[in-house]
Amino acid sequence: MNALGKLLLLELKDCNKEVLNDLDFLKRALLMAATESGATVLGESFHQFEPQGVSGVVVIAESHLFIHTWPEYGYAAADIFTCGNSVHPEKAAEILIEKLGPDSHSIIEVPRGIMDTQMGGLE
Amino acid sequence: MNALGKLLLLELKDCNKEVLNDLDFLKRALLMAATESGATVLGESFHQFEPQGVSGVVVIAESHLFIHTWPEYGYAAADIFTCGNSVHPEKAAEILIEKLGPDSHSIIEVPRGIMDTQMGGLE
């Protein structure tokens, strides 16, 4: 399949609730997931919500990683969007799952930019 | 369905190629999509790539909007992630489609954080 990008949607359930409200921990986890998967980090932005919850993005040269947490439900949604062949989003997913320790999780893979013609993206 | 969030994945094909490489235009379009849909903007980050392409995020209190463009293919991927009932992601999608003017587009809706128990998210 000729796709310009790949999006992994992680559903992380029954995580450690304290971790889900720890902005610094989540920032370190997302940055580690980005660098360990081979991505080039361009910037990041994290926000702590009251009474609880964190949203954070790491912008990478190859697209982005995002996390939104709901500590009250033990739930986090993480999106890993990559393009090109130099980044391994599955590695980033593996790291986030290990760091957040959900009792159950699922990963949906969505190819993005499926082109009819030959091009230089993922194949 | 009890879901904490809603993710709209926009595939925008055969857009105006000049628009897809215009960071300022795309930033204005994403910010307009955020505010017109009822979201509270917390921050934004946009990057121009060489020789072409733009990545941009608008972080909102209700999650995020993201765009990645490939002017060489006339293609843009846009993600609109919202939670709560005060934001209308479909309105944001409508604005982005209008601004980028793709000849063809598709929207995939992915519910996020489907909970077994009753809670205060989208229903």
Side-chain angles (χ1 to χ4, degrees):
Chain A
M1 182 194 299
N2 287 325
L4 290 170
K6 185 194 285 190
L7 175 63
L8 299 185
L9 304 176
L10 278 65
E11 293 279 296
L12 308 172
K13 293 186 175 180
D14 298 315
C15 302
N16 178 319
K17 293 188 178 186
E18 287 186 14
V19 159
L20 293 187
N21 206 36
D22 186 336
L23 186 149
D24 289 337
F25 180 93
L26 294 169
K27 187 188 290 191
R28 284 197 302 274
L30 235 67
L31 286 169
M32 177 184 288
T35 53
E36 293 286 318
S37 66
T40 302
V41 174
L42 296 179
E44 43 86 358
S45 177
F46 283 76
H47 296 270
Q48 177 83 51
F49 294 100
E50 294 298 336
Q52 56 196 351
V54 174
S55 279
V57 61
V58 172
V59 181
I60 57 178
E62 304 82 4
S63 295
H64 72 261
L65 290 82
F66 229 113
I67 194 164
H68 301 291
T69 73
W70 282 260
E72 65 272 40
Y73 298 112
Y75 167 75
D79 295 3
I80 302 168
F81 193 143
T82 61
C83 59
N85 296 313
S86 62
V87 183
H88 306 287
E90 295 80 7
K91 178 68 180 172
E94 191 182 297
I95 289 170
L96 290 181
I97 292 165
E98 184 192 326
K99 291 288 178 189
L100 275 68
D103 281 347
S104 70
H105 72 269
S106 64
I107 302 177
I108 302 170
E109 180 178 331
V110 186
R112 303 296 294 272
I114 298 173
M115 297 287 139
D116 299 329
T117 53
Q118 196 71 25
M119 43 62 185
L122 293 170
E123 289 177 12
Chain B
M1 182 194 299
N2 287 324
L4 290 169
K6 185 193 284 189
L7 175 63
L8 298 186
L9 304 176
L10 277 66
E11 294 279 295
L12 307 172
K13 293 187 175 180
D14 297 316
C15 303
N16 179 320
K17 293 189 179 186
E18 287 187 14
V19 158
L20 294 186
N21 206 36
D22 186 336
L23 186 149
D24 290 336
F25 179 93
L26 295 168
K27 186 188 290 189
R28 284 196 303 274
L30 235 66
L31 286 170
M32 177 185 286
T35 53
E36 293 286 317
S37 66
T40 301
V41 174
L42 296 179
E44 43 85 358
S45 177
F46 283 75
H47 296 270
Q48 177 83 51
F49 294 99
E50 294 299 337
Q52 55 196 351
V54 174
S55 279
V57 60
V58 171
V59 180
I60 57 177
E62 304 81 5
S63 296
H64 72 260
L65 290 82
F66 229 112
I67 194 164
H68 301 290
T69 73
W70 281 260
E72 64 273 40
Y73 299 113
Y75 168 75
D79 296 2
I80 303 168
F81 193 144
T82 60
C83 58
N85 297 312
S86 62
V87 182
H88 305 288
E90 295 80 5
K91 178 67 181 173
E94 189 182 298
I95 290 171
L96 289 181
I97 292 165
E98 183 191 327
K99 291 289 178 188
L100 274 68
D103 280 348
S104 70
H105 73 268
S106 65
I107 302 177
I108 302 169
E109 181 178 331
V110 186
R112 302 297 294 272
I114 298 173
M115 298 287 140
D116 300 329
T117 52
Q118 196 71 24
M119 42 63 185
L122 292 171
E123 289 175 12

